[in-house]
Amino acid sequence: MTNAAPLQPAGAMSLGLAIVSTSAAPLLLLDGDLMVIAGSSSFCREFQIDPDALSNRLFSDLGDGEWNVRTLSSLLEATASGSADIHAYEMDLKRIGHGTRQLVLNARRLDYGDVEGVRVLLSIADVTDMRLAEKLRDDLLREKEILLREVQHRVANSLQIIASILMQSARQVQSEETRSHLTLAHGRVMSIAAVQRQLATTNAGEVELRSYITQLCKSLGASMIFDPEEISIEVTVDDSKAEANVSVSLGLIVTELVINALKHAFPARRHGKIVVDYRSGEGSWSLSVGDNGVGIPTDPAHSKPGLGTGMVEAMAKQLDATFTLENLSPGTRAEVANV
């Protein structure tokens, strides 16, 4: 088998003209003076140019002069001279009696290796409809964001009303057990309100955990600690960020563990401290809530896991993490970790 002989300049030129003429994309072949040598039928059809009046005309004279744009002419001259190429140049094509079209142009100088002169291949893409679709999408996203903020404000107001009703009811009931349940419900509602406020203030897809968990614990302390001199909550969080859905789960875990510590660790007005700690690194993270209270009861009847523990275990599973509970001397330490 013999190798095919390389195309001679005349053959290469004929092949180039054939490619341009039959192209489904709007193409023009120009010479060094920016005279049109050939154009594709799609170019003539897209921009209402008479095919018979296309060749041997200056590019800037096509149509009714709408292609006579100084910046574009300068770029094409630089391309013809070999000093530059046109990459994704955007322009608005304004024609009398037609709407403005948004175009993206690319041009490069062709090397035929002949002596017939310079050849420049210009491709033109009409992106008007695509840009319009992008604008509609952006408008819809903005509208969705406005609606979401309105919903968030309404939810925040509703949570505040619910929390107030729960606290008023807790103050009015005679049963100590009922008062305890209402107080716990109030604490949970306030923590969810804190979660909602934090997420509403972030525009990014990630939440800064330090301010988020700190604000959450402040809300819990304000609603459930009657004497800050007796019990305090200390928060230690690194510079980690988490996706919004992950941060919600972490916030609910913190809520349940802190409420559990406030409920069981400090009976009979015992003084103490709760420490909330979060840290992450190289694909792993750990969240712990510890206290220096009375610790886990040794009596099995009083150490049976409650609803809060079950919720924490379920949320830990959703995060592909493990939940451990450790009895300290003194106190208790609960940890959810993904290692």
Side-chain angles (χ1 to χ4, degrees):
M1 178 181 290
T2 59
N3 295 328
L7 286 174
Q8 297 300 313
M13 182 61 182
S14 298
L15 178 59
L17 289 173
I19 292 174
V20 170
S21 299
T22 59
S23 172
L27 293 178
L28 288 176
L29 186 64
L30 310 176
D31 66 13
D33 296 322
L34 305 186
M35 297 285 290
V36 178
I37 298 174
S40 65
S41 58
S42 59
F43 173 83
C44 297
R45 184 173 58 254
E46 287 263 353
F47 303 107
Q48 290 80 49
I49 303 294
D50 182 3
D52 296 330
L54 184 64
S55 300
N56 298 318
R57 290 186 63 187
L58 278 172
F59 171 73
S60 57
D61 290 341
L62 294 179
D64 294 322
E66 61 267 19
W67 298 97
N68 187 15
V69 179
R70 180 176 298 179
T71 303
L72 177 59
S73 298
S74 298
L75 290 172
L76 288 172
E77 290 171 1
T79 302
S81 68
S83 60
D85 287 336
I86 298 177
H87 295 289
Y89 170 73
E90 297 194 25
M91 64 169 282
D92 291 338
L93 183 69
K94 300 177 180 180
R95 294 178 294 167
I96 299 174
H98 297 81
T100 300
R101 307 299 293 178
Q102 293 177 286
L103 308 180
V104 175
L105 286 74
N106 291 276
R108 62 175 300 175
R109 173 174 167 153
L110 303 180
D111 184 9
Y112 282 107
D114 61 1
V115 294
E116 293 186 21
V118 173
R119 301 292 182 262
V120 175
L121 182 64
L122 172 65
S123 66
I124 304 163
D126 189 334
V127 296
T128 307
D129 294 338
M130 183 176 68
R131 293 286 191 267
L132 178 60
E134 291 174 350
K135 182 180 183 301
L136 290 174
R137 181 197 62 192
D138 292 341
D139 290 343
L140 287 173
L141 288 175
R142 280 193 293 270
E143 182 179 351
K144 179 181 177 182
E145 183 178 352
I146 293 172
L147 290 174
L148 180 59
R149 288 180 180 176
E150 179 63 25
V151 169
Q152 289 172 334
H153 289 156
R154 290 178 182 270
V155 169
N157 292 337
S158 298
L159 288 172
Q160 292 291 336
I161 293 172
I162 293 170
S164 298
I165 293 172
L166 287 171
M167 183 54 67
Q168 290 176 6
S169 300
R171 290 170 179 167
Q172 293 172 359
V173 297
Q174 300 299 320
S175 169
E176 187 64 32
E177 181 180 0
T178 303
R179 183 181 297 109
S180 176
H181 289 316
L182 289 172
T183 302
L184 288 175
H186 173 266
R188 285 189 169 94
V189 170
M190 290 300 294
S191 68
I192 293 172
V195 170
Q196 189 273 337
R197 283 195 303 270
Q198 185 67 28
L199 296 180
T201 57
T202 178
N203 295 322
E206 294 185 327
V207 175
E208 293 183 357
L209 294 180
R210 178 182 294 156
S211 59
Y212 170 57
I213 295 177
T214 300
Q215 181 60 40
L216 180 58
C217 291
K218 284 182 179 179
S219 177
L220 287 170
S223 62
M224 298 193 66
I225 298 176
F226 301 104
D227 186 356
E229 296 296 327
E230 293 182 356
I231 303 173
S232 62
I233 302 177
E234 178 182 307
V235 178
T236 304
V237 180
D238 60 16
D239 295 328
S240 297
K241 295 182 180 181
E243 294 180 358
N245 60 330
V246 174
S247 68
V248 169
S249 296
L250 293 173
L252 294 175
I253 289 172
V254 169
T255 297
E256 291 303 325
L257 293 177
V258 170
I259 287 177
N260 190 64
L262 291 171
K263 182 179 179 182
H264 300 291
F266 310 105
R269 302 183 66 89
R270 178 189 176 108
H271 288 231
K273 181 169 68 174
I274 298 171
V275 177
V276 179
D277 182 88
Y278 180 93
R279 61 194 66 224
S280 65
E282 298 184 0
S284 64
W285 57 265
S286 67
L287 169 65
S288 67
V289 176
D291 63 72
N292 58 354
V294 297
I296 300 174
T298 56
D299 183 358
H302 294 88
S303 61
K304 182 179 179 180
L307 175 61
T309 300
M311 292 176 61
V312 172
E313 290 177 339
M315 285 182 285
K317 186 176 181 180
Q318 289 182 348
L319 296 174
D320 294 325
T322 56
F323 172 61
T324 56
L325 191 61
E326 182 181 3
N327 198 1
L328 305 177
S329 298
T332 307
R333 182 174 183 271
E335 182 181 56
V336 176
N338 182 329
V339 295

